[in-house]
Amino acid sequence: QAHLWNSGGGSVQVGGSLRLSCEANGSINVLKNGMAWFRHSQQREREAVAYIFPNLDTTTYTDSVRGRFTISRDSAKNIIYLQMNNLKPEDTATYSCARRTRQDLNWVNDVAYADWGQGTQVTVSA
């Protein structure tokens, strides 16, 4: 059974940093799958934040986080990371990773993904 476990969330002040982790179990190989981070809150619908392509180090980001967030993978540990710097109050959300299973849809479309992590809360205060 596929499983993704998210961790690393917390409460920080504006300008602070956090690193989120997405640990995959053996049935998901984070190197061979496109993996993304999404976020959602009561104020906003689920939003794609960052994506890393399978078998490549190529990454892409939504405009609001580009230059501040970095998605990466450790293939040996089978973990995806999201390094978040210069955090802003609008980054407050629950962050979840997901495995892309449909290539016919844009990476920002959550329908393209299966096997979601349980989410980790990030709170940024002024």
Side-chain angles (χ1 to χ4, degrees):
Q1 182 177 357
H3 183 75
L4 297 170
W5 180 258
N6 301 147
S7 62
S11 296
V12 297
Q13 293 186 325
V14 169
S17 298
L18 285 172
R19 188 177 78 160
L20 307 184
S21 296
C22 169
E23 185 173 357
N25 72 0
S27 64
I28 297 177
N29 185 314
V30 301
L31 175 62
K32 296 182 178 180
N33 287 274
M35 302 292 295
W37 284 96
F38 283 76
R39 64 185 179 187
H40 72 276
S41 66
Q42 290 185 338
Q43 291 72 37
R44 64 171 66 181
E45 295 181 351
R46 183 183 285 171
E47 173 190 29
V49 173
Y51 177 76
I52 186 165
F53 287 78
N55 300 310
L56 300 170
D57 291 331
T58 304
T59 59
T60 189
Y61 303 88
T62 193
D63 288 345
S64 62
V65 308
R66 187 174 293 111
R68 299 188 298 121
F69 290 12
T70 302
I71 186 172
S72 63
R73 68 162 67 92
D74 185 326
S75 300
K77 296 182 179 179
N78 212 27
I79 297 177
I80 296 291
Y81 298 105
L82 185 67
Q83 177 66 44
M84 306 187 297
N85 297 328
N86 191 22
L87 283 161
K88 303 176 181 181
E90 52 265 41
D91 295 318
T92 294
T94 299
Y95 287 72
S96 304
C97 66
R99 179 175 69 97
R100 188 178 184 181
T101 54
R102 291 188 60 176
Q103 308 306 313
D104 60 314
L105 299 175
N106 193 287
W107 75 273
V108 302
N109 189 336
D110 61 2
V111 178
Y113 297 85
D115 303 320
W116 291 80
Q118 87 287 3
T120 184
Q121 177 66 34
V122 172
T123 303
V124 185
S125 57

